[in-house]
Amino acid sequence: MRIPFNQPYLSGNEERYLREALLSRAHCGNRAFGDRCVALMRERCGFGGVFLTPSCTAAMEMGALLADLRPGDEVILPSWTFSSTANAVVLRGARPLFCEIEPDTMNLDVARIEALVTPRTRMILPIDYMGIPCDLEPILQIAAKYHLVVMEDAAQAFGSRYRDQPCGSLPPLAAFSFHESKNLSCGEGGALVVNDPEMARRAPLLQEKGTDRSLVLKGERVKYSWVDLGSSFLLADLLAALLLAQLEAADRIMEIRSRVTHGYEALFAPYAARGCVRLPRPPAAVRVNHHAYFVIFDNAAHQESFLALCREREIYPYRGYLPLHSSAMGKSFGYRPEDLPLTEDLAARLVRLPFYTDLADEGLDYCLEGMHAVLRRLYGN
Ligand SMILES: Cc1ncc(COP(=O)(O)O)c(C=O)c1O
């Protein structure tokens, strides 16, 4: 049996909706299925404006444009994230200020944010690693104190809740991913949530190439024109049809995936108790969407061996991100690996385990038994 790292899930209605969208002959962005996705997300999650985009990457680029980031501005973000988080900032000419993380969640260490704020700082850009919500309340407080914008990179966190609020509903800006590796997927896709009313008024212009096409769609104009900056931040309705099927099944998908989390927790808990590994410890006040699971080994050699021995059994965990501050681009901003020692150390020991919805029904026992054999080999019985 082969256990891949990830595999997209089909929830049942994808084919029917896709066919409907195809036959509608209205395939571009902001059409019928897109509208239904937006309505459902707003109703379910209490979001302000929702703008479906081609990816979370694009959503954050649109968010950075909306926040009016400019050359010379600074943005505080974790080094432990995907390139897209930093690129959104760098593409506007702003400078990333990488902040350390804390090991229970691998999210921004909020206690270290304020020390990074300078008169040039304009934004805090935290992520919700593995769907574990970042500690948003203190982040919003710091932002209010220094007049900063918060954009939450919630790429992995659709369905998670922070203090009983859906992720993405609290900050002025939040971005989600519907890439095939996520809980809900339409191949490639994303959404920018705009909760700030001022930005929400401008967002439709930026999404539609800087035009007021949204007013034409509403019947308020007969012809649209170039009125602002913008790009093509739109999700084709064919993909929105796939997304709607997944959004409608979101609770069921999360419930199925919870079985994978529980399987990993039960397997690794005894090894955590013996100090061999460290497991995620989300705070009590959050609900995690069962997007993923990570384990931090006691040393880098055990991380390597675990990956290699799992591969021999055709089980494919992987090591997760490489820190951004010590990447080629990070170094071009003057960073050295030793600038964020905690991130470097955790990155050298962390493993992300295979995680996908179908795994709960097929392969989980094989995966857990295989990993158990590997762990016995590494740490004895
Ligand atoms: C934290 C984070 N942000 C952004 C992205 C990019 O998402 P997308 O592939 O939808 O552009 C990812 C991708 O996995 C991610 O993990």
Side-chain angles (χ1 to χ4, degrees):
M1 190 164 208
R2 185 176 184 279
I3 306 294
F5 176 69
N6 173 253
Q7 181 177 284
Y9 177 68
L10 298 182
S11 64
N13 279 334
E14 285 83 358
E15 202 172 335
R16 182 160 69 87
Y17 286 177
L18 184 58
R19 193 177 155 74
E20 224 178 282
L22 193 65
L23 297 180
S24 74
R25 312 248 174 190
H27 298 169
C28 66
N30 287 335
R31 295 293 195 164
F33 279 98
D35 289 350
R36 287 168 69 184
C37 290
V38 167
L40 202 152
M41 287 171 74
R42 292 188 65 189
E43 185 199 306
R44 251 184 83 102
C45 307
F47 296 151
V50 177
F51 300 86
L52 298 183
T53 56
S55 61
C56 180
T57 302
M60 287 191 287
E61 287 170 20
M62 181 172 154
L65 202 54
L66 257 185
D68 205 18
L69 284 186
R70 286 164 189 250
D73 289 347
E74 292 174 350
V75 175
I76 297 170
L77 72 161
S79 164
W80 184 250
T81 180
F82 198 60
S83 56
S84 304
T85 322
N87 267 334
V89 169
V90 171
L91 281 168
R92 306 255 43 86
R95 181 182 171 77
L97 293 185
F98 294 115
C99 183
E100 280 284 25
I101 48 176
E102 53 80 27
D104 286 343
T105 62
M106 299 294 286
N107 280 329
L108 265 192
D109 183 348
V110 292
R112 297 179 190 242
I113 294 177
E114 214 166 342
L116 295 176
V117 175
T118 78
R120 289 181 299 281
T121 310
R122 288 284 322 285
M123 180 185 268
I124 306 175
L125 181 34
I127 80 163
D128 302 320
Y129 186 59
M130 307 263 153
I132 304 176
C134 60
D135 196 2
L136 208 51
E137 204 165 281
I139 293 176
L140 289 169
Q141 278 165 6
I142 296 169
K145 182 169 167 191
Y146 295 98
H147 308 291
L148 311 176
V149 180
V150 175
M151 177 157 72
E152 179 180 4
D153 177 350
Q156 309 180 17
F158 192 85
S160 294
R161 294 174 84 85
Y162 172 81
R163 302 195 180 177
D164 217 28
Q165 305 292 321
C167 266
S169 63
L170 292 175
L173 296 166
F176 289 103
S177 172
F178 302 117
H179 179 266
E180 71 160 43
S181 56
K182 302 302 183 290
N183 288 22
L184 311 183
S185 144
C186 59
E188 298 271 1
L192 181 68
V193 172
V194 187
N195 296 312
D196 175 87
E198 194 67 26
M199 289 192 214
R201 271 192 288 280
R202 197 176 163 217
L205 311 178
L206 270 57
Q207 187 194 28
E208 293 266 14
K209 301 113 176 164
T211 72
D212 51 7
R213 175 173 177 260
S214 54
L215 299 181
V216 176
L217 291 177
K218 279 195 212 154
E220 293 175 22
R221 288 254 197 301
V222 285
K223 185 76 194 105
Y224 55 86
S225 72
W226 185 23
V227 292
D228 204 333
L229 295 174
S231 189
S232 184
F233 292 121
L234 294 149
L235 185 73
D237 217 50
L238 299 171
L239 293 182
L242 298 180
L243 181 58
L244 182 67
Q246 302 256 312
L247 283 167
E248 288 176 346
D251 288 340
R252 176 163 53 88
I253 289 174
M254 199 154 64
E255 173 63 30
I256 298 171
R257 294 175 77 101
S258 70
R259 306 211 296 266
V260 180
T261 306
H262 298 144
Y264 284 141
E265 275 170 352
L267 172 65
F268 282 95
Y271 293 91
R274 286 166 52 194
C276 312
V277 296
R278 185 177 180 131
L279 304 181
R281 275 192 288 202
V286 308
R287 184 185 82 178
V288 184
N289 64 354
H290 303 288
H291 171 55
Y293 202 79
F294 68 82
V295 175
I296 300 171
F297 283 87
D298 49 356
N299 61 53
H302 281 144
Q303 180 216 45
E304 281 291 339
S305 307
F306 182 80
L307 290 169
L309 292 169
C310 282
R311 269 199 305 274
E312 278 177 14
R313 293 166 183 269
E314 297 210 68
I315 300 171
Y316 293 94
Y318 94 122
R319 63 182 68 235
Y321 304 132
L322 294 176
L324 296 186
H325 76 280
S326 51
S327 67
M329 276 296 281
K331 285 179 184 158
S332 77
F333 285 96
Y335 279 95
R336 297 160 306 161
E338 57 270 31
D339 290 337
L340 285 90
L342 193 58
T343 300
E344 282 292 310
D345 170 51
L346 293 168
R349 297 190 284 124
L350 181 140
V351 168
R352 275 186 67 167
L353 305 179
F355 211 120
Y356 48 92
T357 310
D358 286 318
L359 181 60
D361 290 323
E362 206 187 328
L364 187 57
D365 289 344
Y366 174 84
C367 179
L368 294 174
E369 279 159 25
M371 286 183 184
H372 198 186
V374 169
L375 289 169
R376 279 200 299 266
R377 200 160 143 192
L378 294 181
Y379 296 108
N381 279 315

